[in-house]
Amino acid sequence: SGAYYPLPEGCHPSRPLPSMEIHGVADPSAPYDGNPDLRMAAVQDYLNGWTARDQCTGNPTTFFQKGDVTGIEWTHCADGTIVRHYRISDGVHSWPGSPHTTNVINGDVVIWSFFSQFSLK
């Protein structure tokens, strides 16, 4: 759960990069829909930025649905990159899978599984 603020110079990586975002809808510290008063962007705006940077085409597909967690991803992106998002409907500002959460994913496992499939260039 990150708080997304606009970057003054923007974000322009030299090549497409895989991106993964995990966010709780009930997060009061970094609201899912953003907070205009604090200039926090909504999660969807963050995802839109990465799908544009990675030149993704088409709509996202749901690849995971269990309990309070829905996983969507854009897979038709430049250089084989993927933009992935886990939406935790009951999630607050905590690590997914930690002892004081009820969601069904373990952040350690899903993050490693995602990024380990991409080689460093």
Side-chain angles (χ1 to χ4, degrees), residues 21-76:
E21 202 283 339
I22 303 172
H23 212 102
V25 176
D27 185 341
S29 301
Y32 195 86
D33 292 325
N35 182 334
D37 294 338
L38 297 176
R39 295 184 33 137
M40 287 183 190
V43 169
Q44 190 60 54
D45 295 335
Y46 172 84
L47 295 170
N48 291 344
W50 276 110
T51 58
R53 286 178 201 99
D54 286 347
Q55 304 163 29
C56 302
T57 59
N59 294 318
T61 57
T62 300
F63 70 93
F64 184 86
Q65 177 67 61
K66 186 173 180 185
D68 65 339
V69 181
T70 301
I72 63 169
E73 64 185 4
W74 290 260
T75 56
H76 301 311

Side-chain angles (χ1 to χ4, degrees), residues 1 23-29 68 88-96 100-101 103:
S1 296
H23 212 102
V25 176
D27 185 341
S29 301
D68 65 339
I88 305 173
S89 60
D90 297 333
V92 294
H93 200 74
S94 62
W95 189 257
H100 54 280
T101 64
N103 51 67

